[in-house]
Amino acid sequence: MDVVVGQLFTGLSIGSILLLAALGLSLTFGQMGVINMAHGEFIMAGSYTAYVVQQVVSSAGASLVLSLLVGFVVGGLMGVLLEATLIRRMYHRPLDTLLVTFGVGLVLQQLARDIFGAPAVNVVAPSWLSGGVEILGAVVPKTRIFILVLAVVAVAALSTVLAKTSTGRRIRAVVQNRDLAETSGISSRRTDVTTFFIGSGLAGVAGVALTLIGSTSPTIGQSYLIDAFLVVVIGGLGRLAGAVMAAFALGLLNSFIEYSTTASIAKVIVFVLIVIFLQVRPQGLFVAKTRSLV
């Protein structure tokens, strides 16, 4: 029983990390159809933000809380800069956005190597996140529980913004019918920038969370980018509910298959299962009857 519980929480933990990495992608792809290959580097920027903040703020607990806020702003501003300089010129040209953002990602990786060096750096977790909690006989690391809670809070906050605020209503209006939204007085240009800021900011938060479970290097974002895209595609393009289900499903599959094999074999098996699933249901878990994000 303790083994099942342990693997269950490991799967939920992996799913929560994938979800944090995929939330921003789901938002920007849902509204603008932009294939942002630099999203992984926004995650990397969040991780290095946590490292820099900890060099300034000695208290690990205060540093973590501050890093989450600063990481969101840093990731968001990087996204706005990318959107304003390159992406806005390539709307309706998804393949061009893929190639350009891939190039931007390589530039950002090299920039990180020049600033922080190639070796990985570590961020010290707060003492209140050290150790684990025993649940039904299985010991679950507190850092994993914290990331799971953080993912739930991020989804709840994003859903609330989209459903309850004027900004969210403008985003949903542009997603459903851009031309009609503009005739109603909504600035689709301003809404696109806002959406990119929120989506990229969530990538920064994901980067901060990753520092709790491993080292930070210039390629840390690339380790999660492909899985994040898989979550978005499996869940249904631009569907937050689908992204949540897909992230946790992939996490649980990885966890239980990896327990009886190895990490590499589990990765291959999960990828084959995804290919089979998309052959049967190419539209993902949720059919896009409307272009509603939620």
Side-chain angles (χ1 to χ4, degrees):
M1 182 64 183
D2 57 333
V3 172
V4 175
V5 174
Q7 292 307 115
L8 178 64
F9 273 96
T10 300
L12 292 176
S13 172
I14 296 172
S16 61
I17 293 170
L18 292 179
L19 181 58
L20 281 174
L23 269 181
L25 270 182
S26 182
L27 186 63
T28 53
F29 199 96
Q31 176 171 326
M32 294 176 279
V34 172
I35 303 175
N36 182 15
M37 295 296 288
H39 191 79
E41 278 57 53
F42 296 162
I43 295 175
M44 174 199 70
S47 295
Y48 276 115
T49 297
Y51 173 72
V52 171
V53 170
Q54 193 158 86
Q55 304 307 307
V56 178
V57 181
S58 57
S59 170
S63 169
L64 175 61
V65 174
L66 185 60
S67 296
L68 290 171
L69 299 174
V70 179
F72 180 82
V73 174
V74 169
L77 291 178
M78 289 179 66
V80 169
L81 181 62
L82 178 66
E83 197 276 343
T85 55
L86 295 174
I87 298 297
R88 64 177 298 189
R89 307 171 195 279
M90 299 178 185
Y91 285 144
H92 311 300
R93 292 157 56 192
L95 291 181
D96 288 346
T97 62
L98 185 152
L99 292 174
V100 168
T101 54
F102 180 73
V104 170
L106 293 179
V107 171
L108 291 176
Q109 285 182 37
Q110 187 57 47
L111 186 62
R113 287 190 187 91
D114 292 341
I115 296 175
F116 300 101
V121 297
N122 291 304
V123 175
V124 179
S127 57
W128 45 271
L129 284 180
S130 63
V133 176
E134 185 172 336
I135 301 175
L136 297 176
V139 178
V140 182
K142 292 180 181 177
T143 50
R144 298 276 182 174
I145 296 175
F146 178 81
I147 293 174
L148 177 60
V149 173
L150 183 63
V152 172
V153 171
V155 171
L158 184 56
S159 299
T160 302
V161 168
L162 291 174
K164 303 293 184 184
T165 67
S166 58
T167 299
R169 285 191 285 272
R170 285 194 293 270
I171 291 175
R172 287 188 288 127
V174 172
V175 168
Q176 291 176 8
N177 193 318
R178 179 177 291 268
D179 293 335
L180 184 59
E182 287 181 344
T183 59
S184 303
I186 296 174
S187 170
S188 60
R189 173 81 196 108
R190 189 178 303 169
T191 305
D192 288 342
V193 173
T194 303
T195 304
F196 225 83
F197 178 82
I198 296 174
S200 303
L202 288 170
V205 172
V208 175
L210 290 178
T211 62
L212 295 173
I213 58 173
S215 301
T216 298
S217 70
T219 58
I220 184 174
Q222 291 299 311
S223 305
Y224 295 92
L225 182 63
I226 301 302
D227 287 338
F229 269 114
L230 288 176
V231 167
V232 174
V233 172
I234 295 171
L237 298 180
R239 302 304 301 267
L240 292 186
V244 173
M245 293 181 64
F248 285 115
L250 284 182
L252 291 170
L253 270 177
N254 263 305
S255 173
F256 281 99
I257 295 176
E258 190 175 324
Y259 178 75
S260 55
T261 58
T262 65
S264 300
I265 294 177
K267 201 81 173 176
V268 172
I269 294 175
V270 170
F271 190 76
V272 170
L273 291 175
I274 291 172
V275 171
I276 295 173
F277 172 78
L278 290 178
Q279 292 298 312
V280 177
R281 199 173 174 81
Q283 71 273 31
L285 288 171
F286 284 84
V287 179
K289 293 178 180 176
T290 71
R291 297 195 65 200
S292 170
L293 284 168
V294 293

